């Protein structure tokens, strides 16, 4: 088990012929009955991840269904969460922090160019591969933006823009930018 989220477990898997490691997000279909909006949210996440192709965004590989489970196969980011990386080091050299931030900004620029907003940017949703390259993950709150404002309050309070927390209409692209500012602070602050 690599981790557990609100929708299910993430386990390490591998291709039996090539040995390639993958992350498998396993969601019990019974949770769809308990949380009526969850199925729509997961289907939207899958639909968005199918079209996203960027070196700093976790790659969607495939999706499988059984009677009881939905399994989303994703690229495996061996070095885990940026959050854990920051905690274990207490601080980052400025050059490393700026390199991480540049990669995050490039990924968000790509998403916004394609009218997609992440809406839950935080170090826990930013992973590192075996070369410590950034991989943006967890598109559960992501949306294709059809208009410049939305009202859904989502994301993590410590990283969310004030208007998101207050539950008033907000520009989701600007809310992502706010979260980037908080992440930059986290990358440069000495704990």
């Amino acid at each position: 088990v690599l981790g557990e989220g609100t929708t299910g477990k993430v386990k390490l898997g591998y291709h039996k012929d090539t040995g390639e490691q993958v992350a498998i997000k396993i969601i019990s279909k019974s949770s769809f009955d308990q949380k009526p909006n969850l199925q729509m949210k997961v289907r939207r996440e899958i639909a968005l991840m199918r079209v996203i192709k960027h070196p700093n965004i976790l790659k969607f590989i495939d999706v499988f269904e059984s009677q009881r489970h939905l399994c989303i196969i994703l690229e495996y980011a061996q070095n885990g969460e940026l959050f854990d990386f920051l905690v274990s080091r207490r601080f980052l050299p400025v050059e490393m922090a700026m390199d991480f931030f540049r990669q995050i900004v490039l990924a968000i620029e790509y998403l916004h160019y394609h009218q997609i907003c992440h809406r839950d940017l935080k170090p826990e949703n930013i992973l590192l591969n075996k070369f410590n390259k950034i991989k943006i993950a967890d598109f559960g709150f992501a949306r294709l933006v059809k208009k410049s404002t939305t009202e859904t309050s989502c994301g993590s309070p410590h990283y969310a823009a004030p208007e998101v927390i207050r539950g008033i209409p907000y520009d989701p692209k600007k809310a992502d930018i706010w979260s980037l500012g908080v992440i930059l602070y986290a990358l440069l602050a000495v704990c």
Side-chain angles (χ1 to χ4, degrees):
V1 176
L2 298 173
E4 287 192 51
T6 55
T7 57
K9 289 183 180 178
V10 179
K11 293 189 174 188
L12 179 63
Y14 66 94
H15 191 283
K16 67 180 182 178
D17 295 330
T18 66
E20 177 189 10
Q21 292 182 315
V22 294
I24 306 171
K25 187 175 185 177
I26 303 169
I27 304 161
S28 172
K29 287 184 175 179
S30 65
S31 62
F32 295 155
D33 298 331
Q34 299 162 6
K35 301 174 188 168
N37 294 334
L38 180 60
Q39 186 171 9
M40 182 184 71
K41 181 179 168 185
V42 170
R43 298 285 179 197
R44 183 177 55 237
E45 179 178 4
I46 292 168
L48 287 173
M49 289 202 71
R50 281 183 194 265
V51 298
I52 296 169
K53 306 268 188 280
H54 190 275
N56 298 116
I57 297 175
L58 201 65
K59 183 174 123 187
F60 172 87
I61 297 171
D62 210 342
V63 63
F64 298 100
E65 283 190 66
S66 70
Q67 285 275 62
R68 299 181 322 158
H69 295 98
L70 181 71
C71 300
I72 304 170
I73 314 301
L74 301 164
E75 174 183 7
Y76 174 49
Q78 295 89 328
N79 288 348
E81 296 178 2
L82 178 60
F83 178 83
D84 294 331
F85 187 86
L86 291 170
V87 168
S88 70
R89 285 172 175 66
R90 294 193 49 216
F91 72 94
L92 299 180
V94 172
E95 298 79 22
M96 179 183 277
M98 295 314 296
D99 184 47
F100 283 170
F101 189 68
R102 179 188 56 77
Q103 293 174 62
I104 296 166
V105 168
L106 288 172
I108 300 308
E109 177 186 45
Y110 170 88
L111 291 174
H112 288 184
Y113 178 80
H114 289 90
Q115 304 306 318
I116 298 169
C117 292
H118 190 279
R119 302 191 320 155
D120 194 20
L121 291 169
K122 58 185 178 181
E124 294 90 330
N125 288 341
I126 300 170
L127 306 177
L128 295 166
N129 71 7
K130 65 183 175 185
F131 304 110
N132 281 336
K133 295 299 177 194
I134 293 295
K135 298 289 181 174
I136 305 289
D138 196 345
F139 285 78
F141 287 118
R143 289 276 174 136
L144 191 59
V145 180
K146 296 178 182 168
K147 54 185 180 175
S148 62
T149 61
T150 189
E151 295 180 16
T152 309
S153 183
C154 58
S156 301
H158 293 102
Y159 297 91
E163 58 271 24
V164 175
I165 294 168
R166 291 199 328 249
I168 61 175
Y170 65 93
D171 181 329
K173 289 182 180 179
K174 290 180 180 177
D176 277 354
I177 301 301
W178 175 279
S179 299
L180 286 177
V182 179
I183 291 167
L184 177 60
Y185 177 80
L187 288 170
L188 293 173
V190 177
C191 297

